[in-house]
Amino acid sequence: MFIANLKYKKSLEEVNKVLESHLEYLDKYYKKGKFICSGRRFFPEMGGIILFNSDNLEEAKKILYEDPFYTEEIADYEIIEFEAKIYDEKFSDFVTSK
């Protein structure tokens, strides 16, 4: 499982110009069952978080580097890989699938 921590490196005006494309990108990977949840970071508004499943770090990077926020150099990405050990049973489908 991975966490993508996005940090905006451009103004919110520039972020909003690419937002529709970014949302289409997110939708693509939700439909493929890769993304679990995502959203903006607030106070101050500085980026976003994507929680997702991937088979390995190489695939995770390939997926993230398709993001218009990446290709348009809107955000920097920190990729954190982790193994969920304790979780609510309602979350088990996401934790056990790849």
Side-chain angles (χ1 to χ4, degrees):
M1 189 166 289
F2 293 85
I3 297 171
N5 182 13
L6 287 68
K7 183 177 179 187
Y8 298 148
K9 56 185 182 178
K10 293 195 177 174
S11 70
L12 288 179
E13 182 179 327
E14 293 297 314
V15 169
N16 288 330
K17 288 179 183 178
V18 183
L19 186 58
E20 188 172 329
S21 297
H22 172 71
L23 294 174
E24 290 171 3
Y25 155 81
L26 291 174
D27 188 51
K28 172 184 173 180
Y29 282 100
Y30 277 110
K31 287 178 180 174
K32 289 185 175 199
K34 291 291 184 180
F35 288 175
I36 299 165
C37 64
S38 58
R40 283 189 171 179
R41 292 170 50 198
F42 290 104
F43 310 114
E45 194 167 351
M46 58 194 298
I49 299 288
I50 304 171
L51 177 63
F52 66 106
N53 278 328
S54 182
D55 293 333
N56 54 58
L57 182 58
E58 183 177 304
E59 180 191 47
K61 287 180 179 180
K62 182 178 182 287
I63 289 169
L64 292 173
Y65 295 166
E66 288 181 31
D67 187 348
F69 280 180
Y70 180 82
T71 60
E72 298 296 322
E73 299 183 2
I74 299 294
D76 287 325
Y77 289 67
E78 175 187 15
I79 303 171
I80 302 164
E81 184 174 11
F82 75 101
E83 182 178 357
K85 292 290 190 180
I86 301 171
Y87 48 86
D88 185 294
E89 66 180 50
K90 292 176 270 186
F91 197 60
S92 64
D93 286 346
F94 295 112
V95 174
T96 57
S97 68
K98 283 200 171 206

